[in-house]
Amino acid sequence: MRPEILYQLFSPVSKLTGIGPRLTALIEKLAGPNIIDLAWHLPSGLVTRQQVTSLTPDLIDQNVIVTLRVDQHQPSRNRRVPYRIQCHAGDSPLTLTFFNGREGYLRQQLPEGQERIVSGKLEEYAGDYQITHPDHIATNETAATIPTFEPVYPLTAGVTNATFLKAARQFLAMLPDLPEWNDASLVTREGWKSWKDSLIEAHSPTTEVDFDRSTPARARLAYDELLANQLALELVRRSMKRKPGRSLVGKGEVREKVRAALPFTLTAAQNNALKEIEDDMAGPHRMLRLLQGDVGSGKTVVALLAMAQAVEAGAQATIMAPTEILAHQHFNAIEPLATEAGLKCLLITGRLKGKKRTEVLAELECGAVDLVVGTHALFQEDVRFHDLGLAIIDEQHRFGVHQRLALSAKGRDGNGGVDVLVMTATPIPRTLALTAYGDMDVSIIAEKPPGRKPVDTRAIDLARLDAVAEGLKRKLAAGERIYWVCPLVEESQVLDVAAAEERFTTLQHLYGEQVGLIHGRLKADEKDATMRRFMAGEIKILVATTVIEVGVDVPEATVMIIEHAERFGLAQLHQLRGRVGRGGLEGTCLLLYSGPLSETQKARLGILRETEDGFRIAEEDLRLRGAGELLGTRQSGLPEFKVADLHAHSRLLTIARDDARLILEKDRKLDGKRGKALKTLLYLFERDSAIKYLSG
Ligand code: ADP
Ligand code: MG
């Protein structure tokens, strides 16, 4: 239950004076539904006003607060002519100008013959002083409401800064004094104020420096948020570890057979990762581990060897892929090796139906099957294992964090027990891994198998598209295959598809039947069918929107062409590039850009040309585009931070992680004085779903 002290902050924004139904809808979209969401919506700019008594030329272009007398209204008869009001400020004539001004309203605000105080940017127009759309109009009594320093908020159409400011004044006045949850020595060392004072300060900038993310006020708020995040993850992690796991130990005989059947030996990086997984599986607690490795780093064999260990221990193992094609691909890679090692391996996808399905499920349930490769279909209720010991989830950013644990519920006692290994090909910078996967241990395959040639990466102006298209003849003659990826059109799948269709037509003109098209609007089995034809070589050029299956292996594919590469994230481009040059043939990646490029865009494409180190690329992407872009916020279940910035606040994140661990070591149930304050913190940042793990 949310503590009473937070009730007001978690009431709807419509509770604030001046926020009616129309504004409520707009503000909900802008910041969020509750008053607390407005508090996290920090200003991004500042207007500094000078209080002046007379107007002088040096004030032009400055923001002023000035007392004036209203002389005469000049309403406009024509839409193109503004409504003007002639006034005097001291001895100087001053015109107030309004486009589309409403006469009734303006006459009420600025009655002729009366004195008013207005603020706005002073301009010169036709030799006269002018203020267009004053941002504040006050009487002598209300003059003090015009701020000298006015924070400027990120806004949306229909919400003015004055509106937001009025709301801000109200919520800042209702902030409760919350008990301090931070360690006193940290607060002193960093020079922080209380939560409340920091929030007030962050909303009351007086210089440009106050927008720096490292000001004590903003840093403190960011730290609070990171601590809430780390504490929540640590609670989940501890609760997982407390659950009785099982020790999956084997003698190694099956693993030996698998290794013997491999046409290569494992790299040191693969062996290291595998060792961590093996030890974790053998330990008494349950494993919850993330295996990171760039495309082509060889995660599949590592997965297979881990599964072999589960079987040695007398259990079953499963690996789940996000799509039908990927499941098939895994099955094709794993099944021959498994068979050679004497293991029975089956495939379960949505296509498995009828009598065959009944048979397969029966074999699974009685324990005649050792390994199962599958898709989401594995989640179905009638899929019952005899004794599932290890669940592996591949390419998990497609699955979402909530599904992470759903598979493990297929274990024998319905809950605990099953070891979970998540594999991802998206290199995740350490900061991001901490916040998104902080509940998991991490293994990394940092090096690729030997003999891989770097992909020849080039940036080419889109204007040379015809030449690029012509140039494919040579590649086709050599029996190679080509991906042609079309631009992502922001927020419009329709336009995406149109662009891909247009390119498809151009290429079909040149290469006829050899060209195929795949995009997000096709049904899953249509996509599958086209993908299969490409794999089989019936199609040689595959035009696609970014729906190309991330993990699909087509050894003959050597060329990756990406149109409007400047619109993609670096990590995404890197992933796409990883699709080619996998079969020992040299790969080429052409980044077609629409020039002229900005310096940043040039630098970004330059990084891709320079390096194939996925981690370095991911770090750059995080710096340049932010976390949500990198993993795809919605798909990844990545926490969205309101104040913290993973790049700017990475130092604080490390402190928060250590802090969270220490806190729970000392006060497992958060019962102590600081513990109670920390519970409030979890509610404040809406990480309260973690609180249920306190009881367990
Ligand atoms: P990913 O990590 O992208 O899933 P895969 O497991 O699909 O990578 O491996 C990519 C390719 O590299 C496969 O063809 C696999 O057989 C091969 N491979 C894996 N490990 C090694 C190794 N140690 N030496 C040589 N080739 C390897
Ligand atoms: Mg893979």
Side-chain angles (χ1 to χ4, degrees):
M1 279 253 294
R2 182 180 291 139
E4 224 175 298
I5 195 164
L6 298 180
Y7 281 2
Q8 247 198 330
L9 292 179
F10 280 87
S11 47
V13 291
S14 57
K15 284 268 159 74
L16 297 171
T17 316
I19 312 257
R22 187 189 66 89
L23 276 172
T24 301
L26 291 171
I27 285 189
E28 275 185 9
K29 263 185 105 175
L30 179 67
N34 294 325
I35 291 174
I36 186 72
D37 299 311
L38 296 188
W40 303 133
H41 195 74
L42 298 178
S44 57
L46 172 70
V47 173
T48 308
R49 300 193 174 91
Q50 301 179 52
Q51 189 96 40
V52 301
T53 45
S54 64
L55 300 178
T56 47
D58 58 295
L59 290 173
I60 284 171
D61 283 340
Q62 308 279 319
N63 283 292
V64 297
I65 303 174
V66 64
T67 305
L68 51 75
R69 181 166 292 279
V70 181
D71 299 329
Q72 196 190 19
H73 279 242
Q74 296 174 342
S76 157
R77 311 272 163 250
N78 181 335
R79 278 198 149 265
R80 263 167 294 175
V81 178
Y83 188 129
R84 291 204 169 88
I85 305 175
Q86 304 300 340
C87 311
H88 264 84
D91 295 335
S92 312
L94 168 67
T95 307
L96 301 181
T97 303
F98 297 86
F99 291 89
N100 304 317
R102 278 188 293 121
E103 180 165 5
Y105 172 78
L106 289 175
R107 283 198 185 273
Q108 182 224 326
Q109 290 285 303
L110 295 153
E112 285 177 3
Q114 297 213 10
E115 206 170 77
R116 286 292 182 272
I117 294 122
V118 306
S119 71
K121 188 190 260 184
L122 190 68
E123 299 159 354
E124 195 202 307
Y125 181 74
D128 260 342
Y129 291 114
Q130 166 177 274
I131 292 176
T132 307
H133 293 176
D135 42 27
H136 294 273
I137 301 173
T139 60
N140 274 318
E141 289 78 58
T142 59
T145 61
I146 304 182
T148 314
F149 298 107
E150 179 167 331
V152 177
Y153 289 91
L155 298 169
T156 181
V159 182
T160 65
N161 203 56
T163 306
F164 201 95
L165 197 63
K166 197 169 157 202
R169 287 213 180 95
Q170 295 175 65
F171 67 67
L172 289 177
M174 62 169 72
L175 295 180
D177 284 304
L178 299 179
E180 181 58 76
W181 46 72
N182 280 324
D183 183 47
S185 62
L186 179 71
V187 172
T188 313
R189 193 183 81 207
E190 302 285 334
W192 289 343
K193 296 182 180 161
S194 70
W195 170 76
K196 177 177 168 177
D197 288 343
S198 301
L199 200 52
I200 291 173
E201 204 169 294
H203 279 279
S204 322
T206 56
T207 69
E208 291 295 325
V209 180
D210 291 338
F211 304 112
D212 198 301
R213 291 196 169 89
S214 60
T215 61
R218 291 204 180 207
R220 146 110 213 193
L221 298 174
Y223 185 80
D224 288 345
E225 182 168 37
L226 293 168
L227 182 61
N229 163 268
Q230 290 300 298
L231 204 55
L233 286 169
E234 185 63 17
L235 280 167
V236 176
R237 205 174 80 92
R238 289 184 153 245
S239 133
M240 295 299 303
K241 294 264 165 189
R242 261 204 312 281
K243 288 226 176 82
R246 90 198 247 194
S247 162
L248 294 171
V249 204
K251 292 212 185 74
E253 74 282 3
V254 185
R255 276 169 285 171
E256 271 321 306
K257 285 187 200 153
V258 172
R259 278 181 192 260
L262 290 173
F264 48 75
T265 54
L266 295 199
T267 62
Q270 283 170 315
N271 277 322
N272 289 342
L274 186 63
K275 177 82 172 55
E276 288 172 354
I277 295 166
E278 286 174 341
D279 289 350
D280 210 354
M281 287 172 67
H285 48 253
R286 107 194 268 191
M287 173 168 79
L288 193 54
R289 185 169 284 275
L290 178 70
L291 175 62
Q292 284 193 59
D294 220 339
V295 265
S297 60
K299 295 182 291 294
T300 317
V301 266
V302 173
L304 174 59
L305 286 163
M307 294 199 286
Q309 175 169 332
V311 176
E312 285 169 16
Q316 293 168 300
T318 183
I319 179 165
M320 184 165 79
T323 68
E324 179 105 26
I325 289 187
L326 285 171
H328 272 278
Q329 185 174 295
H330 277 321
F331 184 73
N332 292 338
I334 286 171
E335 200 261 348
L337 295 166
T339 307
E340 212 157 317
L343 304 182
K344 174 134 196 206
C345 183
L346 281 181
L347 178 67
I348 296 182
T349 71
R351 292 202 182 177
L352 186 63
K353 294 216 170 81
K355 190 155 154 274
K356 181 86 177 109
R357 184 164 191 277
T358 316
E359 274 171 30
V360 164
L361 293 188
E363 280 190 278
L364 187 64
E365 195 163 0
C366 77
V369 173
D370 303 302
L371 308 183
V372 180
V373 180
T375 57
H376 283 88
L378 288 171
F379 282 125
Q380 285 158 3
E381 213 179 305
D382 58 349
V383 177
R384 281 182 291 267
F385 290 83
H386 173 67
D387 179 16
L388 182 64
L390 171 67
I392 301 180
I393 305 175
D394 190 19
E395 309 288 2
Q396 90 122 133
H397 57 289
R398 299 277 198 90
F399 278 115
V401 171
H402 292 296
Q403 281 155 307
R404 222 183 253 172
L405 302 177
L407 245 198
S408 67
K410 296 265 177 191
R412 213 173 218 176
D413 56 4
N415 192 6
V418 179
D419 281 342
V420 176
L421 180 69
V422 173
M423 304 201 296
T424 172
T426 312
I428 304 163
R430 209 183 69 86
T431 46
L432 199 51
L434 267 181
T435 52
Y437 304 98
D439 56 334
M440 308 179 101
D441 297 303
V442 179
S443 293
I444 295 175
I445 306 181
E447 142 208 358
K448 288 191 192 171
R452 299 273 164 84
K453 294 189 196 85
V455 176
D456 179 16
T457 305
R458 278 181 263 168
I460 297 179
D461 197 314
L462 201 52
R464 288 174 53 204
L465 186 124
D466 290 343
V468 169
E470 283 282 337
L472 298 178
K473 276 199 181 108
R474 213 165 34 84
K475 294 284 178 190
L476 290 174
E480 299 176 24
R481 273 168 238 166
I482 296 142
Y483 290 106
W484 191 301
V485 178
C486 281
L488 191 79
V489 180
E490 201 83 21
E491 290 173 23
S492 167
Q493 218 188 20
V494 181
L495 288 181
D496 271 8
V497 172
E501 274 169 350
E502 190 191 321
R503 191 58 61 238
F504 174 64
T505 312
T506 338
L507 290 168
Q508 227 182 9
H509 242 73
L510 288 169
Y511 300 111
E513 294 292 288
Q514 302 184 82
V515 191
L517 173 65
I518 197 166
H519 58 66
R521 292 210 140 189
L522 297 175
K523 292 204 194 75
D525 48 346
E526 290 174 312
K527 279 190 269 190
D528 266 24
T530 307
M531 199 66 217
R532 276 176 222 283
R533 291 181 62 209
F534 183 63
M535 290 162 90
E538 292 161 33
I539 294 169
K540 300 220 164 58
I541 303 177
L542 185 64
V543 179
T545 50
T546 30
V547 296
I548 303 186
E549 303 306 343
V550 186
V552 176
D553 238 332
V554 183
E556 296 84 358
T558 56
V559 184
M560 170 64 66
I561 296 169
I562 304 166
E563 262 187 63
H564 283 292
E566 76 279 0
R567 294 187 195 162
F568 290 79
L570 289 183
Q572 205 179 5
L573 292 173
H574 176 66
Q575 285 271 350
L576 290 170
R577 174 170 65 178
R579 299 290 100 225
V580 299
R582 291 164 75 90
L585 292 166
E586 195 164 328
T588 308
C589 176
L590 304 183
L591 305 169
L592 303 189
Y593 62 85
S594 142
L597 293 181
S598 69
E599 285 306 313
T600 324
Q601 286 175 326
K602 266 188 215 154
R604 291 180 67 231
L605 296 185
I607 289 161
L608 275 180
R609 296 218 313 264
E610 241 168 67
T611 182
E612 294 210 32
D613 177 347
F615 281 93
R616 185 167 158 226
I617 290 169
E619 285 284 357
E620 284 297 319
D621 225 15
L622 179 63
R623 190 169 68 80
L624 295 168
R625 310 202 335 154
E629 297 278 352
L630 185 56
L631 290 185
T633 308
R634 219 135 283 124
Q635 296 159 3
S636 69
L638 180 77
E640 283 193 69
F641 289 101
K642 302 167 202 287
V643 187
D645 175 295
L646 290 186
H647 188 73
H649 298 126
S650 61
R651 178 183 70 93
L652 297 178
L653 176 60
T654 316
I655 303 175
R657 199 267 317 264
D658 296 344
D659 205 4
R661 296 202 165 173
L662 209 65
I663 288 164
L664 289 173
E665 240 154 63
K666 283 203 225 146
D667 182 8
R668 193 166 66 84
K669 299 198 158 195
L670 296 183
D671 281 334
K673 181 155 169 280
R674 187 177 174 204
K676 290 208 176 82
L678 285 159
K679 273 190 218 162
T680 306
L681 173 71
L682 288 173
Y683 280 105
L684 189 62
F685 281 100
E686 296 173 70
R687 301 279 197 265
D688 38 305
S689 61
I691 285 180
K692 65 171 181 283
Y693 295 107
L694 282 173
S695 47

